[in-house]
């Protein structure tokens, strides 16, 4: 007589323990939906003829057949579709609830840093003026222009502490840390950040996207912030910029959904450093079993949205290539996870940085539309640097 197999209960983890267990080389992702920490590489997911989603579905099926329990694909993809990606089926995955009450060491202030803007602020303003000329000629309706800061410390940057300092002030953000080491890197390169923007999530047949476009800095003064929120809600420029993004996201999701709910007007949401116009779009999938309807498949269909690219998409991508002197790499790409059942969650990699040894490269962008002013767009990108600068102890110093 054979005895029944012993069924072990799934381990229960705390979000704070998973955050504390993160080390460079692991994959970390947390949001209000939960926390995921992954280690090891069972399979690397290669681009399957232009579709990561198709290759990921095959890798997940193979991992399940090999006995990997509840396999998932995790990782990040760059801004451009042909750019680099780092998607894997990990060997070990641990999950916990959403982070709350996170403890983190305070950022060290007074640490010497060398700061190199790329491009110089004046050159970025010139790029905005050139973009406005394209818009004035009718070649573009909107284009997002980004700039970077390259920070160099006198000692290696400890990514786990930086990640914890990003999660602590905003546990509901889409916080992430991904190994994106490339050939020639002198040490592990990590993409780390705390994004406010959900590209797409899926639970069963339900999908949600939450595009953000139109922003204002958060002041910390309640009266000033009330005024900025009211101004943002009524700004024709910002509402027009947001409408481009929400319409495109709704159009793409509409190809896959039988029902789609799109609010008539955006609301304003806040992060510790910014206010954003936000539209939460919800749909019900026509065919959840189709690999194209997996969380990763939907993310690929949506990316890049006008929130990080522009309108029309092809012309905006061309303008970005011409006007931005630095390649974006993983900035304004996508990061997240997808399971064997197609469920998952993907965020836009904004409020992010690439960390390698003593160097931190952070990027921020602003949407340029008719009526944009170069000085204001420069200031907006500066405000968006605040999330990472605060975590590095450099708030107000750059």
């Amino acid at each position: 007589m054979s005895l029944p197999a012993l069924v072990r209960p799934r381990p229960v983890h705390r979000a704070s323990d998973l955050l504390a267990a993160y080390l460079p080389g692991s994959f970390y992702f947390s949001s209000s939906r939960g926390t995921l920490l992954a280690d090891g590489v069972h399979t690397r997911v290669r681009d399957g003829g232009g579709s990561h989603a198709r290759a990921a579905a095959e890798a997940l099926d193979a991992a399940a057949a090999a006995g990997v329990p509840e396999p998932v694909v995790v990782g990040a993809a760059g801004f451009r579709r042909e750019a680099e990606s780092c998607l894997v089926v990990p060997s070990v995955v641990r999950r916990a609830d959403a982070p709350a009450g996170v403890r983190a060491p305070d950022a060290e202030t007074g640490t010497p840093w060398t700061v190199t803007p790329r491009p110089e602020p004046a050159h970025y303003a010139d790029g905005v003026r050139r973009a406005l000329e394209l818009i004035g000629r009718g070649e573009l309706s909107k284009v997002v222009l980004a700039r970077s800061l390259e920070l160099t410390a006198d000692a290696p940057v400890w990514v786990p502490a930086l990640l914890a300092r990003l999660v602590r002030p905003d546990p509901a953000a889409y916080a992430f840390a991904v190994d994106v080491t490339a050939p020639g890197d002198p040490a592990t390169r990590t993409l780390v950040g705390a994004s406010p923007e959900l590209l797409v999530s899926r639970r069963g047949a339900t999908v949600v996207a939450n595009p953000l476009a139109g922003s204002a800095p958060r002041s910390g003064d309640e009266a000033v912030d009330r005024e900025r929120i009211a101004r943002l809600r009524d700004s024709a420029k910002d509402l027009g910029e947001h409408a481009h993004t929400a319409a495109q996201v709704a159009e793409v999701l509409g190809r896959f959904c039988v029902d789609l709910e799109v609010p008539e007007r955006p609301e304003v949401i806040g992060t510790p450093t910014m206010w954003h116009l936000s539209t939460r779009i919800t749909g019900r999938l026509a065919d959840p079993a189709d690999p194209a309807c997996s969380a990763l498949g939907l993310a690929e269909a949506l990316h890049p949205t006008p929130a990080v690219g522009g309108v029309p998409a092809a012309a905006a991508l061309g303008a970005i290539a011409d006007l931005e002197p630095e390649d974006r790499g993983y900035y304004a790409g996508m990061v997240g996870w997808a399971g064997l059942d197609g469920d998952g969650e993907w965020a836009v990699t904004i409020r992010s940085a690439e960390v390698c040894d003593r160097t931190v490269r952070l990027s921020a962008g602003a949407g340029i539309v008719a009526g944009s002013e170069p000085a204001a767009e420069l200031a907006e990108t500066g405000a968006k640097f605040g999330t990472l600068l605060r975590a590095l102890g450099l708030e107000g110093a750059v």
Side-chain angles (χ1 to χ4, degrees):
M1 177 179 172
S2 62
L3 296 175
L6 177 63
V7 178
R8 297 182 178 179
R10 293 181 63 188
V12 177
H13 303 286
R14 295 188 304 175
S16 58
D17 291 339
L18 295 191
L19 181 60
Y22 166 79
L23 290 172
S26 300
F27 173 87
Y28 175 93
F29 188 91
S30 66
S31 69
S32 59
R33 181 167 171 173
T35 302
L36 185 154
L37 180 65
D39 288 286
V41 176
H42 179 271
T43 309
R44 294 194 181 276
V45 178
R46 306 300 181 185
D47 187 339
S51 171
H52 289 112
R54 187 180 302 110
E58 294 172 356
L60 287 169
D61 286 339
V68 175
E70 300 183 26
V72 297
V73 166
V74 303
F79 170 68
R80 291 187 174 273
R81 289 182 179 273
E82 67 276 14
E84 64 267 58
S85 64
C86 54
L87 299 171
V88 304
V89 177
S91 303
V92 178
V93 174
R94 288 174 281 176
R95 293 181 181 271
D97 291 336
V102 171
R103 295 182 180 180
D106 291 331
E108 295 183 14
T109 56
T111 303
W113 290 85
T114 300
V115 181
T116 305
R118 300 184 184 278
E120 292 289 341
H123 291 166
Y124 179 80
D126 285 341
V128 173
R129 281 186 278 270
R130 290 168 61 193
L132 287 170
E133 291 173 1
L134 296 174
I135 291 169
R137 294 200 297 266
E139 297 178 30
L140 292 170
S141 296
K142 173 187 175 180
V143 62
V144 177
L145 291 186
R147 66 186 183 104
S148 300
L149 295 178
E150 186 172 291
L151 313 178
T152 305
D154 59 359
V157 178
W158 185 232
V159 175
L162 174 58
L163 174 63
R165 290 195 295 267
L166 288 168
V167 175
R168 181 177 60 183
D170 192 4
Y174 301 92
F176 53 89
V178 192
D179 183 355
V180 294
T181 306
D185 283 336
T188 299
R189 180 176 296 274
T190 305
L191 175 70
V192 61
S195 174
E197 186 164 4
L198 172 66
L199 182 60
V200 68
S201 71
R202 174 184 146 163
R203 287 180 190 254
T206 301
V207 295
V208 178
N210 193 181
L212 309 179
S215 307
R218 189 167 193 153
S219 75
D221 180 287
E222 188 175 341
V224 172
D225 280 330
R226 281 199 302 268
E227 180 182 340
R228 289 182 180 179
I229 291 169
R231 189 183 308 129
L232 192 57
R233 283 189 176 128
D234 294 333
S235 166
K237 169 191 170 291
D238 290 294
L239 288 170
E241 178 186 344
H242 186 86
H244 286 306
T245 300
Q248 190 262 2
V249 170
E251 189 276 327
V252 172
L253 287 184
R255 303 173 199 165
F256 303 94
C257 293
V258 288
D259 292 317
L260 199 65
E261 183 178 334
V262 185
E264 290 185 5
R265 285 183 59 87
E267 61 179 353
V268 177
I269 65 168
T271 73
T273 58
M274 299 293 296
W275 299 107
H276 297 284
L277 289 176
S278 160
T279 295
R280 185 177 176 85
I281 299 170
T282 304
R284 184 165 61 88
L285 292 171
D287 184 6
D290 183 349
C293 291
S294 70
L296 179 53
L298 295 169
E300 279 194 307
L302 288 164
H303 175 69
T305 74
V308 293
V311 179
L317 290 175
I320 289 168
D322 290 340
L323 298 176
E324 290 185 12
E326 299 287 324
D327 183 82
R328 290 188 179 184
Y330 284 96
Y331 167 70
M334 59 187 196
V335 60
W337 62 273
L340 184 63
D341 58 2
D343 286 3
E345 194 169 33
W346 293 84
V348 183
T349 51
I350 54 176
R351 311 300 182 272
S352 63
E354 291 185 27
V355 182
C356 186
D357 194 35
R358 299 183 300 115
T359 301
V360 180
R361 182 191 176 199
L362 48 151
S363 302
I368 314 304
V369 295
S372 290
E373 298 178 358
E377 306 305 335
L378 181 66
E380 180 176 322
T381 55
K384 288 175 177 176
F385 286 137
T387 298
L388 268 297
L389 292 176
R390 176 183 293 185
L392 291 164
L394 286 170
E395 186 177 23
V398 176

